[in-house]
Amino acid sequence: MTAPAHVRVLIAGGGTGGITVASWLRKLSSRLEIAIVEPSPFHDYQSGWVLVAGGFIPPEDTRRAERDVLPPEVELIQSKVMGFDPHHNAVELIGGHRLTYDVLVVALGIELNWSAVQGLAESLGRHQVTSIYGRRTASYTHHCFEAFRGGTAVFTQPATAIKCGGAPQKIMHLAHQRFEQRSGVGVNTRTLFCTAQASLFPVRAYSDKMVEIAARHHSEVRYHHDLVAVDGPAGLATFRVREPGHSERLETIPFELLHVVPPMSAPPVVAASPLAIQPAEGEPAAASGGWVEVDPHTARHVRFDNVFAIGDVGSFPTAKTAAAVRMQAPVVAANVLAVLEGRHLDPGYDGYSACPLITSDHAVMMVEFDYSKQPVSSFLVNPVKERWFAWLLERFGFPWIYWNRMLKAQPHEAGYLKPFEGLARRLGLMRWQA
Ligand SMILES: Cc1cc2nc3c(=O)[nH]c(=O)nc-3n(C[C@H](O)[C@H](O)[C@H](O)COP(=O)(O)OP(=O)(O)OC[C@H]3O[C@@H](n4cnc5c(N)ncnc54)[C@H](O)[C@@H]3O)c2cc1C
């Protein structure tokens, strides 16, 4: 690896956020020196792993070479950030190489902690224990659905923050539909959604609707159930149950299929750095979550003026999604340039995020919201409703938009509908009701 000693704008992490913000920076400034540190030679469209598991697209459609998706004249440093030293405007790479910057954008994503669940790493990808939170196991999930002959299918969601809060449920709904379509399997199947959370979604209107959809599919929902151990060969999943008003207990559930969403956290290299949220007095460091501590509207670090975050690694109090990245990227890019040119920052990010919830192979609820924790609608319709057009978007529209518009810094399509928003409101089209 040959890496420079200094770059004007350094982006740590070349995933969805890193690539998108690099494209916006290139669009806004054709001559700016930009470098990205990214260890992987590939970039994955992670939202597509749900479609792989459902058998709608092959896994190859979700992957491209990293170099092919970077904007022109952005240097790719194929390495890994091993440490942040923001007091000296520097990062440390593999092999001790030190790289300094004028402005840093942190885009390292979120860490998946498979080994935090006892026995999971050993069972994953075998014994009908699977997950859409990985490219290889997304394909295995499809295999598990096809091989399933009835019994108990368990789907989990951990206690931690996760990326795409709707994904644990969408895969359950796709499984349900697949089992219903195959003769005998649906009637012989019990579907359980075991979540460590107290509700199905943090936005009340969507959560209520999700409860209704799960009931329609005869899926049993168990709250406060946190997966702590898996025994793949024996087909047993053990949960720590912490129901309010009851003492903590362990519950073991036998399964014929187990879909796991692992606990997640801030990447350790971030959590251990001065960029992480400072724990409150007397609190252990882990309690603060370890995310890069940024202003929720400008994405600038609250203590280091020349540091920004984008995507899952940031402390933005909203859902961690690619949809959020899309809205953050133009704001972050404009603010990076504002810092370089000594201008005021744009506080333009309003917390927009979206977790489109697939409920069958012809229906999706868009699940859009912002910092107000109320539903919003880019499409000028009631967002708390399953729709066929949203399924077409999820299946065909979003993958194309991701590769051809989002990663290339093209404005959000919903912008074209903005002029009609007032009219839609007056006509009551956007009023949401379950
Ligand atoms: C199954 C699934 C379904 C999803 N569905 C949706 C959906 O429907 N809608 C939606 O909007 N979002 C969805 N998401 C979430 C979306 O993919 C993420 O929120 C998005 O990718 C976040 O972008 P990011 O740049 O923060 O992280 P990532 O895209 O994960 O990128 C992080 C990058 O940092 C790199 N990196 C890590 N450590 C280092 C290091 N030390 N040094 C340098 N580089 C490093 C990684 O290699 C990676 O390339 C889904 C995700 C999954 C897994």
Side-chain angles (χ1 to χ4, degrees):
M1 177 207 64
T2 51
H6 181 89
V7 284
R8 196 113 159 92
V9 178
L10 178 65
I11 301 173
T16 305
I19 299 165
T20 310
V21 78
S23 292
W24 275 99
L25 283 165
R26 178 54 72 239
K27 188 173 179 168
L28 297 177
S29 172
S30 58
R31 303 239 286 252
L32 185 66
E33 186 197 11
I34 309 166
I36 289 191
V37 181
E38 168 59 50
S40 171
F42 302 109
H43 175 65
D44 292 310
Y45 174 54
Q46 299 173 41
S47 312
W49 293 342
V50 185
L51 298 174
V52 170
F56 302 107
I57 58 173
E60 305 82 79
D61 285 10
T62 62
R63 174 165 278 191
R64 297 205 181 161
E66 177 79 15
R67 275 185 196 283
D68 293 349
V69 288
L70 287 182
E73 288 169 51
V74 167
E75 181 167 4
L76 174 61
I77 302 170
Q78 200 133 36
S79 185
K80 210 169 164 178
V81 175
M82 305 302 284
F84 291 97
D85 181 4
H87 295 288
H88 299 98
N89 301 324
V91 298
E92 193 184 309
L93 306 184
I94 291 175
H97 184 90
R98 212 171 150 78
L99 184 52
T100 56
Y101 54 78
D102 290 340
V103 176
L104 170 70
V105 181
V106 186
L108 294 195
I110 195 168
E111 184 89 359
L112 306 187
N113 299 316
W114 300 102
S115 54
V117 176
Q118 193 193 329
L120 176 57
E122 297 85 324
S123 296
L124 190 69
R126 304 188 296 159
H127 315 297
Q128 314 300 311
V129 178
T130 192
S131 181
I132 51 169
Y133 278 77
R135 187 169 179 270
R136 189 181 59 81
T137 49
S139 295
Y140 181 64
T141 305
H142 182 58
H143 165 81
C144 290
F145 288 178
E146 295 305 302
F148 190 70
R149 293 287 170 268
T152 302
V154 179
F155 297 80
T156 74
Q157 178 163 349
T160 65
I162 59 170
K163 48 182 157 187
C164 194
Q169 288 174 69
K170 29 182 156 171
I171 193 60
M172 176 178 71
H173 294 312
L174 279 178
H176 162 83
Q177 193 190 25
R178 191 71 199 102
F179 302 156
E180 288 285 298
Q181 285 165 345
R182 300 225 314 274
S183 72
V185 177
V187 285
N188 292 323
T189 297
R190 179 171 171 235
T191 308
L192 283 183
F193 189 72
C194 294
T195 172
Q197 309 292 331
S199 70
L200 285 185
F201 204 75
V203 177
R204 178 71 192 273
Y206 291 126
S207 185
D208 289 351
K209 183 74 182 177
M210 288 172 185
V211 168
E212 191 189 305
I213 295 166
R216 195 177 77 214
H217 289 174
H218 307 291
S219 300
E220 293 170 41
V221 179
R222 305 238 174 125
Y223 300 103
H224 309 291
H225 277 57
D226 196 11
L227 183 70
V228 290
V230 176
D231 182 342
L236 297 173
T238 301
F239 295 84
R240 184 187 298 116
V241 185
R242 286 180 168 144
E243 282 158 338
H246 294 82
S247 46
E248 186 178 305
R249 65 187 166 89
L250 291 178
E251 183 180 339
T252 297
I253 300 178
F255 64 82
E256 273 67 41
L257 189 157
L258 176 67
H259 180 275
V260 180
V261 178
M264 302 183 200
S265 65
V269 66
V270 171
S273 79
L275 299 178
I277 302 176
Q278 299 298 293
E281 188 96 1
E283 234 186 6
S288 67
W291 313 108
V292 179
E293 190 168 11
V294 289
D295 175 274
H297 298 287
T298 63
R300 176 156 79 171
H301 200 279
V302 297
R303 292 181 299 281
F304 300 100
D305 284 354
N306 61 341
V307 177
F308 292 83
I310 187 166
D312 298 349
V313 77
S315 62
F316 307 101
T318 193
K320 297 181 182 302
T321 66
V325 166
R326 187 150 195 214
M327 297 309 204
Q328 292 161 4
V331 177
V332 174
N335 286 342
V336 166
L337 293 177
V339 165
L340 290 172
E341 292 161 11
R343 288 184 282 106
H344 285 298
L345 302 198
D346 167 15
Y349 178 56
D350 64 1
Y352 175 88
S353 192
C355 306
L357 184 79
I358 301 174
T359 60
S360 76
D361 68 3
H362 55 267
V364 164
M365 176 163 68
M366 283 304 296
V367 189
E368 299 176 275
F369 50 96
D370 58 20
Y371 284 143
S372 71
K373 290 267 188 293
Q374 295 297 322
V376 297
S377 174
S378 305
F379 301 95
L380 311 188
V381 290
N382 171 10
V384 191
K385 204 168 172 195
E386 298 160 82
R387 293 177 186 275
W388 183 60
F389 91 82
W391 160 253
L392 294 179
L393 269 178
E394 178 78 6
R395 166 65 186 83
F396 300 103
F398 291 149
W400 187 88
I401 286 171
Y402 185 79
W403 296 114
N404 297 291
R405 291 189 58 83
M406 175 170 166
L407 296 188
K408 295 187 174 160
Q410 295 302 312
H412 196 287
E413 295 61 44
Y416 302 118
L417 296 174
K418 263 271 177 253
F420 305 103
E421 197 177 305
L423 179 65
R425 277 189 200 287
R426 276 201 299 281
L427 294 174
L429 299 180
M430 295 169 73
R431 205 172 303 133
W432 45 271
Q433 65 228 10

